[in-house]
Amino acid sequence: MTPGEFEFLKKFLKERSGLVLSNDKQYLVESRLLPIARSSKLETLSAVIGVLQKGTNKALETDVVEAMTTNESFFFRDKTPFEHFNDTMLPGLLERRAKTRLIKIWCAAASTGQEPYSLAICLKEAQARIAGWRTRILGTDLSNEVLDKAKAGLYSQFEVQRGLPIQMLLKYFDQKGDLWQINAGLRAMVEWKKLNLLDSFSHLGEFDIVFCRNVLIYFDQQTKTEILARVAKSLPEDGYLVLGAAETVVGLTDAFKPVPGKRGLFQRNVAAKTTAGPAPRTFATAGLQR
């Protein structure tokens, strides 16, 4: 791959998904796109880029974007956000939503589903506290491949061993040969949609909690600011935003303020005047996730 081809690919991915590739990521491009070249019966990455430059193969364009924006996830990743969910977010919402008895959660970087299912497990474990309540969990992602895996709820032994306590594995999963499947009750708690965070997501409605973890790190500063401004509009004044351990709102927006003593947890800053920023960009592809 020539320097010019790499520059084209960087621009292509930035426009289609928001992903910003640094110059030292050529090895990552090669490792992820060589399988795409083989499956498309193209001999080299240069041939793949040549087809992309013509703009005549939408399926290949989608495959390239999905391959470059698919990242790993695992159950109860980083633990802390789920502790915050159990000890801060859920108790607060149970008090403030007593009239509607409805809690709505959006996982904006759902990947293969471990995060939404982890939240579903938290809600199941809190069943005594939320008896009579309705809950909605929405998981969105760019990639059809990871969404299909999430919907199926089928995971390898390695995947379920990462972050999932053995008692929860036995309680909420059924063994299917060498794989483990989330039980039907938990699968029914989560709704899945394909979505690009660069596009408008106002049609999704309002949520009490938005998990947007480990995705903003792939965007440039302007894109982060635009997305956070629009996320703020999808939350009520007392809603919660959860970011990844390496992510922050500092220097990006005043629409959110940290919850004291709760790393990675933010609430709307109602004293600030929130603007939506530039209109979201619209592309043929749909969704960037973890």
Side-chain angles (χ1 to χ4, degrees), residues 3-287:
E5 290 169 341
F6 187 58
E7 286 302 313
F8 167 83
L9 190 60
K10 285 167 59 178
K11 182 179 179 183
F12 172 84
L13 291 167
K14 172 71 165 56
E15 290 177 347
R16 297 304 178 98
S17 67
L19 177 65
V20 177
L21 278 180
S22 57
N23 289 328
D24 62 347
K25 290 295 189 292
Q26 187 162 333
Y27 74 95
L28 180 65
V29 170
E30 292 172 352
S31 65
R32 292 196 177 183
L33 296 191
L34 280 173
I36 300 293
R38 288 193 290 268
S39 65
S40 303
K41 298 186 172 16
L42 296 167
E43 293 184 2
T44 64
L45 289 184
S46 292
V48 171
I49 292 169
V51 175
L52 294 179
Q53 289 172 326
K54 292 176 183 176
T56 56
N57 190 329
K58 299 302 179 187
L60 180 65
E61 291 174 13
T62 298
D63 288 345
V64 167
V65 171
E66 291 191 2
M68 290 306 304
T69 56
T70 300
N71 295 277
E72 69 169 8
S73 182
F74 50 93
F75 290 98
F76 296 99
R77 184 177 184 179
D78 301 329
K79 293 185 180 178
T80 300
F82 301 97
E83 293 171 356
H84 293 341
F85 178 77
N86 288 322
D87 65 27
T88 300
M89 290 181 267
L90 188 56
L93 290 171
L94 289 176
E95 181 180 340
R96 299 192 297 272
R97 301 291 185 272
K99 288 185 178 179
T100 61
R101 298 175 79 82
L102 171 64
I103 296 174
K104 296 176 289 183
I105 306 167
W106 174 25
C107 293
S111 189
T112 44
Q114 287 95 323
E115 180 177 86
Y117 286 136
S118 296
L119 290 166
I121 289 173
C122 288
L123 290 170
K124 279 290 186 183
E125 291 290 295
Q127 206 158 22
R129 286 193 285 166
I130 64 171
W133 285 65
R134 292 173 297 140
T135 60
R136 180 195 179 200
I137 304 173
L138 172 67
T140 64
D141 202 278
L142 174 150
S143 170
N144 284 318
E145 182 180 354
V146 300
L147 285 174
D148 287 344
K149 179 178 174 68
K151 290 173 188 175
L154 273 169
Y155 300 97
S156 67
Q157 185 72 38
F158 174 74
E159 288 171 317
V160 297
Q161 284 177 333
R162 300 185 72 194
L164 188 68
I166 185 65
Q167 67 270 24
M168 288 187 176
L169 173 63
L170 298 176
K171 187 175 181 179
Y172 294 114
F173 288 72
D174 301 312
Q175 192 160 14
K176 304 284 186 179
D178 294 333
L179 302 175
W180 292 86
Q181 186 172 37
I182 290 271
N183 67 37
L186 280 175
R187 294 202 307 277
M189 292 176 66
V190 185
E191 176 187 358
W192 306 98
K193 288 183 184 293
K194 187 172 182 177
L195 180 76
N196 192 327
L197 289 176
L198 298 186
D199 296 340
S200 172
F201 41 77
S202 60
H203 62 283
L204 297 179
E206 191 175 76
F207 296 87
D208 302 296
I209 302 171
V210 174
F211 275 68
C212 189
R213 299 200 301 143
N214 307 309
V215 60
L216 294 181
I217 54 176
Y218 298 106
F219 298 140
D220 63 21
Q221 183 152 328
Q222 179 185 346
T223 305
K224 291 176 186 178
T225 299
E226 292 171 6
I227 290 172
L228 286 170
R230 289 186 283 119
V231 168
K233 291 187 172 293
S234 71
L235 284 166
E237 290 186 356
D238 63 350
Y240 296 98
L241 168 67
V242 186
L243 297 181
E247 297 167 325
T248 183
V249 300
V250 176
L252 296 171
T253 179
D254 61 357
F256 293 98
K257 61 183 179 182
V259 175
K262 303 293 180 181
R263 178 174 58 85
L265 184 60
F266 303 86
Q267 281 193 289
R268 288 278 306 278
N269 184 8
V270 295
K273 210 171 187 182
T274 305
T275 57
R281 293 156 283 179
T282 303
F283 302 112
T285 56

